[in-house]
Amino acid sequence: MPHFLPAALAILTLSPQQAPEAWQQDVSYRMEARLDEDVQTLTGRARVAYTNESPDTLRDFYLHLYLNAFRPNSAWARADLEHGIRTFQDLAPADQGFERLERVTVDGEAVRVSWPYAPDSTVVRLTLPEPLPPGAGIVLDYDWKARPSTVARRQGRRGRHYDFAQWYPRVAVYDLERWRDHPLYRQGEFYSEFATYDVTLDVAADQVIGATGVPVEGDPGWASAAAPGTGTVDLQRDWYGATEGPPCVERDGVRTCGIPAQRDLAPARPLGLLDGGAAAGRKRVRWHAENVHHFAWSTSPDYIYEQGSWNGTAIHVLYQPGDREEWGDGKAVRRTETALQWLSVVFGPYPYPQVTNVHRIEGGGTEFPMMVMNGGASQSLILHEVGHIYTFGILANNEWYEGWLDEGFTSFQTAWFFEERGAGRSQWLGNESRVLDLELRGKAEPVTLQAERYSEMGIYSAMIYTKGALIFWMLREMAGPEKMMEITRTFFERYEFRHVDQHAFQSVAEEVLRRDLDWFFGEWLHTNGVVDYGLDGVDVRRERDAWVTRVDVARRGEMRMPVPIRLTGEGMVHDTVVPGDRLHAEHVIRTPFRPTGVRLDPGLVTMDWNALDNAWPAGPLSGSVYARGLDDPLGSVPAYRDRAALRFFPLAWFNDAGGIVGGVQARTAYMGDIRRALVRVGAPGIEAAGVGGASSAVDPGSLYFLLENPILFDRPRFGMSIEGFAGEGRGLFRLVGERDVSAMPLSAPRRFARVSLTVAGVYGGEYVVPGRWTPASHGEVEGELGFRQEGGPWSVDVGLGAGLSTDDRVYARSTMTGELRASARDGWSAALRLFAGATVARHGDAQSAAGAPRERQMFLSGGDPLVALSDPWMRSAGALWDEEGWVSGGGQILGYHPGLSLPKLVTLTAEAEGAPMRLGLGLQAWPHVFAGVGVGSSPEPTDAPPILSPSVADELDGWRHPYASAGVGVEVGEGRSPVRLRFDVPFFVADPRVATRGRDGRVRFRWTVRISGYR
Ligand SMILES: [Zn+2]
């Protein structure tokens, strides 16, 4: 593939737009802090020197106290409530985090403080005693007490292990958008001023510390915690220069104290909190860091230390006892080295003295300058988090507004690393399908939405991480890998230690590629939609000594991308790229060979969602649209990106009326879920000994089809299905439209509103399993409105329908199914299910006790027979499982005859599933115990199912005849396969006269069978 940026898109010649002059405030922190483990509290004192480099006069000032997020009524805890998360709102006082500002002065004067987001206290506003003009400085002094929460979230504490992040009152950013005061939320991270940090920590003598910066004085505990063979620990004491120099500097007439001179480190200026030496059993460690926007640290007396070094950068790894397998023996060290090596290629030399990689309390990982706190030591996590030291740490974006610029960027470089090492394209396609699914379902939100405004965490992460990475990937595919490296390296070189935004990155990309990219970043960052180009026509002609191909390209999606086109023929390939702005465009392509194939976006690099309209020729036999093959009946239809899978499988079945039937089944799907279809065709039956011949009319064969999520009007219609059946004496057509009305598109519970139209009829009663259908020839049409909630601990499905039958019936029908589920720790789970259904009907002029046609009544043992029409092994009398086959729905009192339908029915069933047992050959078995009770009304004797002998029918007369059954079952499945076979033994039924197989005793061997997961 040529890397493409077509000339047509380069109309706008390059003139990098000049942003207003950006500034960065000059900040330095001198901090003293003492961790008292007996009261689990850190006491701190800080002196912050702040120079206003902006052109504005500042009248107030903001600090972030982010540990206050991890307590009730914080903005975070309250936002969580909207998502049903109560973690921090319900946290007990002893477990909460806090950060209490105890004293604050500006240039020695007390100031007024206010809490603009109260009851949230993660932001405090100070009213400056005097306005701070451009170029002038102030010194803030403050004391505070702080404690992380026991529920870890990018900070935390457990026993003597403390992950200190966001642990000190931190100066908010003042930039072009003025004060960036922002409460902390679950969605979104941080934005801070670059600063110099000089921090003295007073801790128990046995604590081992990892931190941002270099330990310039005191012992962090590494040597004594070192794993065997570590060698001499490199503390890098001299990195920031000797500890001498003036304690105060004077600039522009402003005297500012506490800022160490650049390469001449001053002695730690005492703030009065840690006077004298360390107490007995305590120690002090002084850390120094420059050009960082946060100082994080983690401490535990149990840490084990390993060190490494790459190109002059020290690597400090601190892991926990028991981690040796995953972290130890140099594993985490080497992976951190690998990350530094790769990142120095992608961006440039690592500018800090060290990188510290600690095993934090929480899983996952969080980035800090010079430091990552990780829950594991995988190469991908280390690449991601150490990558953040570049994108977020050194190239410091505002993570509330432009998370794509650090999360998307680091996800991109991580995937790029693995791609270069053989992972191939699959990871991009996986990311793509996650994003496309949200876009096609209309659930995507813009990448530049303010983080906490995403409707849920899953969408935030899909847009920021996944789509963010894909944006960089598409840029790389357009630019080519060499130019992409030039972009990333130039971006780093120009913006090292700067705040960055879209403009900064885009202007570098435009400069390197010498193209305007407003269209690209504009649409991918700020809007939603899909790319879809399709071939409307191809015409190949010979003109003199060349072949001329006219390619009609239609734009069917909202997004515009350059369109790569590939012509193939005579063993040759011609690649070109055309602009994709117009809705329809004809492109003329000359080739020395005769093209026999044309494909748009052959490399799948533009996120063109529908590749089914990208190929010419496109017939079902060409192979360019359908990947045909033999089906694996136990597996799902494969999910290809460039073609739809089409799978065939031979079938055979039999029944009493039709004899032995040969057939074929076809399944197809695109990208797993789109335009999914199942077709089963049966030939005319063959009469054979024992089966067939009962029919007076020869059935000409049968056809069943189910089409789900079809592509209509250029989009898949998720939730739409069309189902049809003709043959074996019956016909069915059903149209269902279901709309996802969930409050949160990705999280449980999911809610769906449903409307459906069903047309069904019987024309050959000899195929019908006794009792399941009203046997005389008739037809019916029924409409239904429904609602379904699934996921979460309970689910419900209600439906209300009305129908007309050609046997002069008008009926109404309603059903309700509710389910409660619970799972235990040892793998057992239990479910309680309530079903209620009723039909009422008028038959001619009279109210009919029989209700709706029999097939629309309530079935005691399982779902209605319309559902069973899809299954040739159970739909007709004399089929393999005509009495034992079980379909979902209905009363679910297993063990009763599947032909027992009642106008009104209420059942309550309970089921427990055990932990899976391994059977060998990859098979697993899940044991089940079930029981159910129900009451039902009996039908009118004239319409009673034939399994009810007249005497039994008489006895059941009237409402409230009781039913009950109990039994055990086992479900068997193969590990990879979604398909499971379930075999149930309802050994007890309360009224065996209407049981399936064996009506001569309440307790005896009966069985039912079902197949689930087959799609
Ligand atoms: Zn990240």
Side-chain angles (χ1 to χ4, degrees):
M1 276 299 299
H3 297 292
F4 59 95
L5 261 181
L9 287 166
I11 307 158
L12 293 160
T13 48
L14 187 78
S15 60
Q17 299 156 343
Q18 218 49 53
E21 198 61 42
W23 64 84
Q24 278 175 200
Q25 305 295 56
D26 189 348
V27 186
S28 83
Y29 292 82
R30 165 72 192 136
M31 294 195 278
E32 291 180 348
R34 188 181 65 237
L35 173 61
D36 297 309
E37 293 179 49
D38 50 346
V39 288
Q40 302 200 318
T41 299
L42 176 138
T43 304
R45 175 167 292 177
R47 172 161 296 173
V48 179
Y50 184 94
T51 305
N52 179 15
E53 303 283 357
S54 82
D56 308 332
T57 295
L58 307 182
R59 290 185 164 75
D60 46 19
F61 199 89
Y62 288 85
L63 296 173
H64 285 138
L65 287 77
Y66 278 159
L67 286 184
N68 286 337
F70 307 102
R71 51 190 297 104
N73 291 318
S74 66
W76 176 315
R78 282 177 295 140
D80 270 4
L81 292 181
E82 284 175 37
H83 298 179
I85 305 169
R86 305 198 56 94
T87 317
F88 294 109
Q89 189 66 14
D90 292 348
L91 209 58
D95 295 318
Q96 295 166 9
F98 64 73
E99 194 169 337
R100 288 187 201 121
L101 193 59
E102 300 206 315
R103 179 187 69 90
V104 55
T105 64
V106 172
D107 291 333
E109 281 186 56
V111 293
R112 198 164 69 82
V113 302
S114 55
W115 306 87
Y117 299 94
D120 176 87
S121 54
T122 59
V123 178
V124 61
R125 179 171 57 215
L126 314 179
T127 306
L128 295 178
E130 282 168 49
L132 181 62
I138 49 171
V139 174
L140 274 88
D141 282 286
Y142 49 80
D143 290 353
W144 80 99
K145 281 196 161 47
R147 185 177 77 182
S149 59
T150 58
V151 175
R153 183 73 269 250
R154 304 192 198 110
Q155 51 79 41
R157 70 186 143 102
R158 183 176 62 201
R160 299 191 62 200
H161 182 166
Y162 293 79
D163 291 330
F164 276 110
Q166 325 305 334
W167 58 282
Y168 56 92
R170 182 158 56 145
V171 174
V173 174
Y174 188 86
D175 68 9
L176 283 166
E177 304 284 325
R178 301 172 187 278
W179 282 110
R180 297 287 200 159
D181 54 311
H182 193 97
L184 189 62
Y185 294 90
R186 182 176 296 274
Q187 290 167 193
E189 294 179 273
F190 309 103
Y191 185 44
S192 309
E193 296 285 13
F194 281 95
T196 295
Y197 284 82
D198 204 275
V199 181
T200 304
L201 300 174
D202 182 304
V203 297
D206 62 343
Q207 281 286 8
V208 182
I209 308 173
T212 299
V214 163
V216 293
E217 289 170 25
D219 176 18
W222 300 339
S224 52
T230 299
T232 311
V233 171
D234 181 9
L235 293 174
Q236 299 177 297
R237 296 277 200 217
D238 297 333
W239 181 276
Y240 288 109
T243 52
E244 280 171 17
C248 297
V249 294
E250 200 162 298
R251 206 168 63 189
D252 302 335
V254 180
R255 184 177 149 84
T256 317
C257 294
I259 302 177
Q262 271 301 318
R263 290 293 140 205
D264 199 10
L265 198 59
R269 185 183 168 79
L271 299 178
L273 180 74
L274 302 178
D275 279 348
R282 311 274 307 174
K283 68 177 177 185
R284 288 188 186 157
V285 189
R286 177 189 172 202
W287 301 82
H288 188 86
E290 293 174 11
N291 289 317
V292 292
H293 49 64
H294 189 46
F295 178 93
W297 61 293
S298 171
T299 189
S300 163
D302 299 327
Y303 272 144
I304 299 162
Y305 175 86
E306 290 190 15
Q307 75 174 349
S309 154
W310 188 80
N311 208 18
T313 302
I315 295 164
H316 309 299
V317 169
L318 292 167
Y319 58 88
Q320 299 171 9
D323 284 344
R324 193 170 149 188
E325 182 107 0
E326 192 190 356
W327 288 70
D329 299 326
K331 286 195 193 80
V333 167
R334 279 192 300 276
R335 288 172 193 156
T336 309
E337 287 169 6
T338 300
L340 287 177
Q341 188 175 9
W342 166 248
L343 293 162
S344 69
V345 171
V346 174
F347 295 104
Y350 185 79
Y352 294 128
Q354 60 97 357
V355 56
T356 297
N357 183 353
V358 306
H359 187 178
R360 72 172 179 187
I361 296 164
E362 194 190 1
T366 301
E367 64 278 11
F368 302 97
M370 282 193 235
M371 178 173 195
V372 297
M373 294 189 190
N374 282 356
S378 70
Q379 183 69 74
S380 64
L381 182 63
I382 290 173
L383 272 163
H384 180 100
E385 302 301 346
V386 176
H388 268 308
I389 298 180
Y390 282 85
T391 52
F392 156 76
I394 299 163
L395 302 159
N397 58 312
N398 181 337
E399 292 183 286
W400 309 312
Y401 293 93
E402 295 193 299
W404 67 279
L405 205 40
D406 68 299
E407 296 298 355
F409 213 149
T410 200
S411 302
F412 161 73
Q413 63 79 12
T414 301
W416 192 0
F417 171 90
F418 287 107
E419 187 183 14
E420 297 260 304
R421 279 153 188 79
R425 306 175 42 77
S426 60
Q427 46 186 352
W428 300 118
L429 296 179
N431 284 351
E432 201 193 42
S433 68
R434 185 171 174 222
V435 171
L436 283 181
D437 191 64
L438 284 172
E439 293 280 5
L440 290 169
R441 288 174 196 270
K443 305 295 185 190
E445 295 170 17
V447 171
T448 41
L449 196 64
Q450 194 174 329
E452 70 271 19
R453 297 200 174 172
Y454 283 99
S455 46
E456 61 183 298
M457 192 72 189
I459 295 193
Y460 161 78
S461 96
M463 294 299 123
I464 296 298
Y465 291 74
T466 316
K467 187 171 171 183
L470 289 168
I471 291 168
F472 288 99
W473 167 71
M474 283 187 285
L475 182 66
R476 189 198 70 183
E477 291 302 309
M478 291 193 297
E482 300 79 17
K483 283 285 178 195
M484 189 67 192
M485 284 282 187
E486 197 181 325
I487 292 169
T488 52
R489 294 181 70 93
T490 308
F491 182 50
F492 171 76
E493 196 181 292
R494 190 161 306 161
Y495 289 96
E496 189 179 22
F497 308 133
R498 307 285 304 170
H499 289 143
V500 293
D501 56 12
Q502 176 194 335
H503 173 82
F505 182 76
Q506 182 182 331
S507 63
V508 169
E510 289 179 333
E511 182 185 313
V512 170
L513 299 178
R514 305 197 58 73
R515 294 290 183 275
D516 172 73
L517 292 170
D518 266 344
W519 63 274
F520 178 77
F521 289 101
E523 68 180 13
W524 287 104
L525 292 175
H526 300 277
T527 71
N528 284 101
V530 290
V531 179
D532 182 22
Y533 292 94
L535 280 173
D536 264 3
V538 171
D539 178 60
V540 180
R541 270 173 216 198
R542 175 103 196 160
E543 270 180 29
R544 288 188 292 278
D545 51 353
W547 287 92
V548 174
T549 306
R550 281 166 214 281
V551 181
D552 267 354
V553 177
R555 176 165 67 78
R556 304 200 168 109
E558 303 81 9
M559 308 294 260
R560 293 155 179 83
M561 284 290 281
V563 186
I565 304 181
R566 174 170 292 176
L567 275 58
T568 51
E570 298 172 11
M572 284 187 274
V573 174
H574 177 86
D575 279 319
T576 185
V577 180
V578 300
D581 292 337
R582 286 158 62 196
L583 285 170
H584 288 278
E586 187 188 75
H587 304 280
V588 178
I589 302 164
R590 288 168 186 278
T591 50
F593 60 88
R594 178 183 190 161
T596 51
V598 176
R599 187 174 269 279
L600 305 183
D601 193 14
L604 299 169
V605 293
T606 63
M607 282 186 74
D608 182 327
W609 84 266
N610 183 6
L612 303 183
D613 60 4
N614 286 9
W616 174 86
L621 297 177
S622 75
S624 58
V625 175
Y626 289 99
R628 300 178 305 269
L630 188 67
D631 205 354
D632 165 11
L634 292 182
S636 307
V637 185
Y640 299 127
R641 180 69 183 85
D642 60 337
R643 288 176 296 172
L646 177 59
R647 293 293 188 262
F648 298 95
F649 200 73
L651 300 177
W653 64 86
F654 56 85
N655 54 58
D656 284 346
I660 295 172
V661 179
V664 66
Q665 154 182 307
R667 292 198 293 171
T668 179
Y670 176 53
M671 287 167 70
D673 221 24
I674 298 171
R675 211 161 81 180
R676 169 183 285 283
L678 168 67
V679 179
R680 286 179 177 144
V681 184
I686 302 163
E687 203 177 313
V691 286
S695 174
S696 50
V698 177
D699 204 80
S702 65
L703 168 71
Y704 172 83
F705 70 89
L706 172 65
L707 173 63
E708 294 173 294
N709 306 335
I711 300 170
L712 293 177
F713 316 112
D714 302 334
R715 284 288 191 289
R717 299 291 134 178
F718 288 103
M720 182 175 184
S721 69
I722 307 163
E723 187 180 19
F725 176 73
E728 299 189 12
R730 283 148 297 172
L732 169 75
F733 177 79
R734 178 175 269 173
L735 197 62
V736 182
E738 204 171 49
R739 191 175 161 76
D740 189 335
V741 292
S742 309
M744 285 183 280
L746 295 178
S747 314
R750 314 298 315 285
R751 298 187 180 119
F752 303 89
R754 175 175 74 244
V755 54
S756 74
L757 173 75
T758 304
V759 181
V762 178
Y763 60 84
E766 63 276 20
Y767 280 94
V768 171
V769 178
R772 303 194 91 180
W773 298 71
T774 292
S777 290
H778 73 285
E780 68 212 36
V781 56
E782 181 186 310
E784 191 219 30
L785 292 172
F787 172 83
R788 184 162 59 89
Q789 165 158 330
E790 62 176 39
W794 61 275
S795 63
V796 70
D797 189 325
V798 291
L800 193 61
L804 286 171
S805 169
T806 59
D807 65 359
D808 210 16
R809 253 187 278 215
V810 182
Y811 66 88
R813 183 175 186 274
S814 69
T815 59
M816 190 287 294
T817 308
E819 204 169 299
L820 270 174
R821 283 174 298 273
S823 38
R825 265 207 202 98
D826 51 7
W828 278 82
S829 61
L832 199 63
R833 180 179 183 273
L834 177 71
F835 171 82
T839 70
V840 291
R842 289 190 77 81
H843 204 151
D845 291 334
Q847 184 79 27
S848 168
R854 210 179 275 154
E855 61 273 17
R856 305 308 296 135
Q857 296 187 12
M858 306 302 135
F859 283 75
L860 180 62
S861 65
D864 67 50
L866 271 57
V867 180
L869 283 182
S870 66
D871 190 332
W873 299 284
M874 61 173 78
R875 69 182 161 223
S876 294
L880 180 62
W881 296 329
D882 63 344
E883 274 199 39
E884 298 80 11
W886 186 91
V887 291
S888 66
Q892 298 204 1
I893 309 242
L894 298 184
Y896 285 98
H897 191 281
L900 183 55
S901 62
L902 305 162
K904 297 184 182 69
L905 179 67
V906 178
T907 67
L908 183 68
T909 52
E911 178 164 304
E913 181 183 274
M917 301 174 292
R918 298 193 182 284
L919 302 181
L921 299 170
L923 291 175
Q924 288 183 303
W926 291 261
H928 286 84
V929 186
F930 60 86
V933 292
V935 286
S937 67
S938 72
E940 230 170 37
T942 52
D943 197 44
I947 57 151
L948 298 179
S949 65
S951 64
V952 174
D954 273 353
E955 254 186 74
L956 301 191
D957 195 20
W959 174 235
R960 293 192 299 200
H961 184 78
Y963 302 92
S965 80
V968 294
V970 64
E971 191 164 41
V972 180
E974 195 259 339
R976 286 175 307 113
S977 169
V979 180
R980 290 195 196 172
L981 182 73
R982 181 158 160 183
F983 183 79
D984 284 309
V985 183
F987 53 78
F988 167 80
V989 298
D991 194 340
R993 292 168 302 176
V994 283
T996 182
R997 309 265 189 226
R999 302 180 184 164
D1000 54 354
R1002 284 167 188 263
V1003 178
R1004 59 160 292 164
F1005 179 76
R1006 301 177 186 90
W1007 59 279
T1008 64
V1009 66
R1010 72 181 85 168
I1011 296 172
S1012 64
Y1014 188 79
R1015 287 193 69 196

